[in-house]
Amino acid sequence: MTASDTWDPSQPILEIENLSISFFTRLHEIPAVMDFSCTVMPGEAMGLVGESGCGKSTVALAVMRELGKTGRIVSGSMKFKGRDLALMNNEELRHIRGSEIAMIYQEPMASLNPAMKVGAQLAEVPMLHSGMSKADAWALARQIVADVRLPDPDRIINAYPHQLSGGQQQRIVIAMALMAKPALLILDEPTTALDVTVEAGIVDLVKELGRKYGTSMLFISHNLGLVMDVCGRICVMYSGEAVETGSVTEVFDKMRHPYTQALFRSIPLPGADKNARPLISIPGNFPLPHERPRGCNFGPRCDYFEKGRCDETDVPMAHVPGGDRHDSRCLRWSEIDWAAPPAKREVKQKARIGEVVLKMDDLRKYYSVSGGAFGGGTKKVVKANETLSFEAREGETLAIVGESGCGKSTFAKVLMGLETATSGSIMLFDENVQSTPIQKRNTDTVSQVQMVFQNPFDTLNPSMTVGRQIIRALEVFRFGASDADRRKRMLELLDLVKLPRAFAERMPRQLSGGQKQRVGIARAFAGGAKVVVADEPVSALDVSVQAAVTDLLMDIQRENKTTLLFISHDLSIVRYLSDRVMVMYLGHVVEMGTTDQVFAPPYHPYTEALLSAVPIADTRVERKRIVLEGDIPSAMNPPPGCPFQTRCHWKSRVTPAGLCDREVPPVQMLEGGHQIKCHLSREVLATMEPVIKIAAE
């Protein structure tokens, strides 16, 4: 008998009640999830949000009964279609997994067999779960590949996973999950590794398929904007507990837990301004399981904490009257003035923009690669950067945005001297460093241009203390006359990045992700850097930590008059941080201007699509939806004419017809130095409407 045979469709499809999960080591029990409850109704999409380590993925793995040897459900129940998953035997679980409950993971390649063709992997699902014939299973595989909007399904099902892009791989994983038409689909950060334009396509796809197949969803993400796009309901988690749950609209507009409020204050929504209305990071650090405080877990970081009350006893979930299943785990939710402005926000001084310190002129970077599998064959040229020209001034933040493969990181490597340019010039102060690799640059030049990398975990030596790593950078830059001078400067750098001086003796493994990134920033400024290239410096961090790190970069910039080149695909952070924005596509700069110019029409058609794809966690925002078809073309085989013409929905408005296919467009200079590289006439550009509008309250 299956779960479906006795289940009443008016009842919850997934009902989790008072669930507690622990992991057991030889020494002690580590409680990961405590007293967690959540209900998903048929056809409903529930978003599960919170910082890393809060227990989101543990809940998902518990539903799949995949907690490993050390994980155990300590108490509570998880009912799927009325039957408790915790009481099912292996045979019953094997039937339900894949056929009735399916899970999509963050990294698509982890779910695909690299040695099997895509079609064979898809067909395997109904053959195993439903006993379908091979011919019927392959026909269904082809149909589902078309359903997930992949071009040329016949080619795709006969391809191997490595022959597909990241976005295509994720669509195949979604197709695989849908092959058995599951009743419940669990998605664990399914778009984190994807570009914002690809993410928009996947999100639309997930919503459309949910409607088509009537699938219920548990959508795990740290991105509140994404949850608003996909889900009707939300559950906010903190340190192993659900702290607020309700409909997305109610939780976003009428939040009733201090942690939910703190999360929203730390993300750059429209209206945030790095000087007038800076983000407010959550004070303190996320507690480790064995360091959880007595009473409310969020107490030590809460603005409304009341000693002797909030730290006395465990806090139960309380119903918020008038809401749609709206609950809060806060003793004071009814006493707090939720409409009051934040007390801790401080207005910052606007940094003064100075003289030009960096100028790139007609920069090109080409790579020569072999066309054969083992080094033979005709040589091909990869045009990573084409005619790159821009200036950056002292104290300015210039953001560089675009999809993966557009040439952002290549340009950064050339600037740093890790690569040399094919042609053009890079004037750093008064020196042309275009053809000077880093090993031939003098110490002063190297110290003036430094980089903060995306992943703080990979950039620190695990066997050296934090202090020693910063001192090593000072030694390389020949700072100070003695060890005492360098140690003094190291401690000052820890002060600069707002880390306690005691951290000098800590090893990297003893630091959180945000703390490691601060060490990376301290090391970048060890030589008194004047130009800092920040390559996705906050994308690996939680939203609450992002606010603290971006605020720190701004404070250091004001103090040191640093020029910041901020490489990112997160346009919300870009809008908040940058003074000017440069949009890149397939090696070309397609638009450049002040932040206000780039975020308002007229747009380059690619910028318009990028902006429309950005998820924004604000119910007042209305967005025009433009989903780009296809993937970014290969730099080894770029399209003729305009690099964007294969995906542009404005192409039909260009006269004469066919111009986009034949000629690379010129750079048009609009008012106030706003540049757009496009064949569209000024008259057509003037007809563009804003992509993002804020509805009147």
Side-chain angles (χ1 to χ4, degrees):
M1 185 167 64
T2 67
S4 306
D5 293 336
T6 57
W7 175 63
D8 176 1
S10 67
Q11 296 301 307
I13 196 156
L14 179 68
E15 190 173 16
I16 302 174
E17 285 188 340
N18 309 118
L19 181 70
S20 293
I21 302 164
S22 291
F23 290 90
F24 292 84
T25 67
R26 282 178 298 177
L27 297 175
H28 48 247
E29 175 186 352
I30 301 168
V33 173
M34 297 97 66
D35 188 33
F36 177 84
S37 298
C38 123
T39 303
V40 182
M41 298 301 288
E44 196 168 66
M46 167 70 85
L48 213 51
V49 302
E51 293 170 280
S52 301
C54 72
K56 306 186 299 290
S57 296
T58 304
V59 169
L61 292 171
V63 173
M64 295 297 289
R65 286 282 306 277
E66 290 180 354
L67 288 170
K69 290 181 179 177
T70 59
R72 201 179 307 158
I73 294 167
V74 178
S75 62
S77 65
M78 296 180 300
K79 290 179 181 172
F80 172 70
K81 291 188 172 180
R83 294 182 65 205
D84 197 331
L85 290 161
L87 302 177
M88 289 185 186
N89 61 36
N90 287 339
E91 188 59 38
E92 290 171 310
L93 283 170
R94 208 171 8 253
H95 173 78
I96 280 181
R97 281 193 204 122
S99 61
E100 294 207 64
I101 305 176
M103 187 160 174
I104 296 168
Y105 296 89
Q106 183 171 341
E107 179 47 62
M109 272 310 281
S111 306
L112 296 172
N113 184 336
M116 277 176 81
K117 286 185 176 178
V118 164
Q121 296 188 58
L122 290 169
E124 200 174 44
V125 179
M127 286 163 69
L128 281 173
H129 287 288
S130 314
M132 193 179 281
S133 71
K134 185 176 179 181
D136 287 347
W138 271 81
L140 180 61
R142 191 200 176 283
Q143 180 209 319
I144 297 258
V145 165
D147 275 355
V148 297
R149 297 205 290 262
L150 279 167
D152 194 358
D154 293 315
R155 179 187 71 81
I156 295 281
I157 61 173
N158 286 295
Y160 288 95
H162 72 269
Q163 294 173 304
L164 308 179
S165 69
Q168 289 174 333
Q169 287 170 1
Q170 193 60 290
R171 283 169 191 256
I172 291 299
V173 171
I174 291 170
M176 195 183 294
L178 292 169
M179 283 295 285
K181 298 186 174 60
L184 178 66
L185 187 59
I186 301 172
L187 303 101
D188 191 358
E189 301 272 13
T191 60
T192 301
L194 305 177
D195 281 310
V196 68
T197 48
V198 181
E199 178 181 81
I202 296 284
V203 164
D204 279 8
L205 171 71
V206 165
K207 287 194 291 186
E208 182 187 310
L209 294 173
R211 286 191 295 268
K212 180 174 180 178
Y213 294 111
T215 310
S216 304
M217 283 186 274
L218 193 61
F219 189 90
I220 297 169
S221 180
H222 65 271
N223 187 327
L224 289 162
L226 209 54
V227 167
M228 193 180 98
D229 278 356
V230 177
C231 304
R233 293 188 62 75
I234 186 172
C235 176
V236 182
M237 289 189 73
Y238 181 80
S239 190
E241 295 179 323
V243 294
E244 185 164 12
T245 183
S247 72
V248 164
T249 312
E250 277 183 354
V251 172
F252 278 38
D253 293 346
K254 299 174 184 173
M255 59 197 70
R256 290 297 180 264
H257 195 280
Y259 176 62
T260 312
Q261 185 186 60
L263 267 185
F264 273 89
R265 286 177 174 175
S266 65
I267 58 175
L269 298 173
D273 181 289
K274 65 181 179 182
N275 299 309
R277 294 185 66 194
L279 302 180
I280 302 169
S281 58
I282 304 174
N285 292 311
F286 192 79
L288 294 170
H290 59 279
E291 294 173 349
R292 288 187 180 116
R294 182 178 163 84
C296 175
N297 280 345
F298 188 59
R301 307 174 75 188
C302 181
D303 289 344
Y304 310 105
F305 178 75
E306 193 177 298
K307 192 169 175 57
R309 182 179 172 194
C310 298
D311 55 359
E312 274 301 294
T313 182
D314 290 344
V315 182
M317 283 293 250
H319 178 62
V320 178
D324 174 19
R325 291 181 278 155
H326 190 180
D327 299 313
S328 170
R329 195 182 293 274
C330 177
L331 294 173
R332 302 197 58 204
W333 72 263
S334 60
E335 304 162 19
I336 295 167
D337 180 1
W338 297 99
K344 291 183 180 176
R345 181 172 281 150
E346 55 177 311
V347 176
K348 303 286 179 86
Q349 192 68 37
K350 193 173 190 291
R352 193 184 70 81
I353 309 295
E355 299 295 314
V356 172
V357 296
L358 174 68
K359 185 175 182 181
M360 284 199 180
D361 201 15
D362 206 16
L363 187 88
R364 288 177 167 85
K365 175 60 184 175
Y366 297 168
Y367 293 96
S368 180
V369 295
S370 96
F374 299 101
T378 312
K379 292 278 185 186
K380 292 187 177 181
V381 173
V382 177
K383 297 181 177 181
N385 287 148
E386 280 274 32
T387 60
L388 205 61
S389 298
F390 72 90
E391 294 177 344
R393 292 177 161 74
E394 180 186 75
E396 179 181 50
T397 302
L398 173 66
I400 299 109
V401 301
E403 292 169 284
S404 302
C406 73
K408 306 188 299 288
S409 294
T410 300
F411 134 77
K413 287 175 186 171
V414 171
L415 175 59
M416 296 299 298
L418 301 171
E419 303 272 3
T420 52
T422 305
S423 65
S425 70
I426 304 174
M427 296 300 294
L428 182 61
F429 298 99
D430 298 321
E431 183 184 359
N432 188 351
V433 295
Q434 167 260 331
S435 56
T436 314
I438 194 162
Q439 60 269 30
K440 292 186 179 176
R441 292 184 180 182
N442 63 51
T443 306
D444 285 346
T445 305
V446 172
S447 67
Q448 283 178 338
V449 186
Q450 285 294 298
M451 195 158 181
V452 178
F453 295 91
Q454 177 172 356
N455 196 337
F457 308 95
D458 295 341
T459 54
L460 298 179
N461 186 331
S463 61
M464 268 190 198
T465 64
V466 165
R468 181 68 201 126
Q469 301 200 43
I470 298 172
I471 287 171
R472 179 79 191 101
L474 291 167
E475 289 170 350
V476 168
F477 297 137
R478 297 173 192 161
F479 177 90
S482 66
D483 288 346
D485 286 349
R486 286 185 281 275
R487 179 164 179 81
K488 182 169 176 277
R489 178 60 182 152
M490 177 268 290
L491 294 171
E492 288 169 354
L493 285 164
L494 287 178
D495 294 342
L496 183 73
V497 297
K498 299 182 173 68
L499 282 176
R501 290 188 168 199
F503 275 41
E505 307 308 319
R506 290 197 182 184
M507 304 299 283
R509 67 175 180 274
Q510 296 172 288
L511 272 56
S512 68
Q515 289 166 345
K516 285 178 185 170
Q517 193 61 293
R518 285 168 187 260
V519 176
I521 293 168
R523 203 170 51 179
F525 282 92
K530 293 297 179 189
V531 178
V532 171
V533 181
D535 190 358
E536 302 272 14
V538 294
S539 63
L541 307 176
D542 280 312
V543 288
S544 54
V545 183
Q546 277 184 13
V549 171
T550 50
D551 204 33
L552 170 69
L553 282 169
M554 293 299 97
D555 283 346
I556 294 173
Q557 182 181 52
R558 290 183 192 98
E559 193 173 318
N560 294 8
K561 299 180 182 174
T562 318
T563 303
L564 187 65
L565 303 182
F566 191 84
I567 299 172
S568 182
H569 68 272
D570 185 341
L571 288 164
S572 298
I573 287 276
V574 163
R575 185 174 199 166
Y576 170 70
L577 275 186
S578 60
D579 300 302
R580 286 192 304 132
V581 181
M582 182 165 89
V583 183
M584 290 185 70
Y585 185 83
L586 207 60
H588 294 256
V589 176
V590 295
E591 184 164 3
M592 186 155 57
T594 66
T595 306
D596 288 342
Q597 286 170 342
V598 172
F599 277 79
Y603 310 105
H604 185 279
Y606 176 58
T607 310
E608 182 188 41
L610 270 184
L611 291 173
S612 84
V614 180
I616 302 170
D618 192 331
T619 56
R620 300 168 302 148
V621 169
E622 296 172 7
R623 272 185 304 155
K624 190 198 293 186
R625 198 69 161 152
I626 304 160
V627 176
L628 292 179
E629 297 298 327
D631 293 300
I632 192 166
S634 166
M636 196 185 296
N637 188 23
C642 173
F644 188 58
Q645 52 103 345
T646 57
R647 303 166 81 192
C648 181
H649 71 286
W650 284 88
K651 191 174 167 182
S652 60
R653 303 283 299 274
V654 171
T655 53
L659 183 63
C660 298
D661 301 326
R662 296 191 304 271
E663 293 181 22
V664 175
V667 175
Q668 297 191 51
M669 293 295 292
L670 306 178
E671 288 178 27
H674 187 190
Q675 302 174 27
I676 294 182
K677 193 173 189 174
C678 186
H679 284 305
L680 286 171
S681 67
R682 287 179 178 238
E683 291 72 30
V684 173
L685 287 171
T687 65
M688 285 187 170
E689 296 178 349
V691 173
I692 299 167
K693 292 180 184 174
I694 299 178
E697 294 188 35

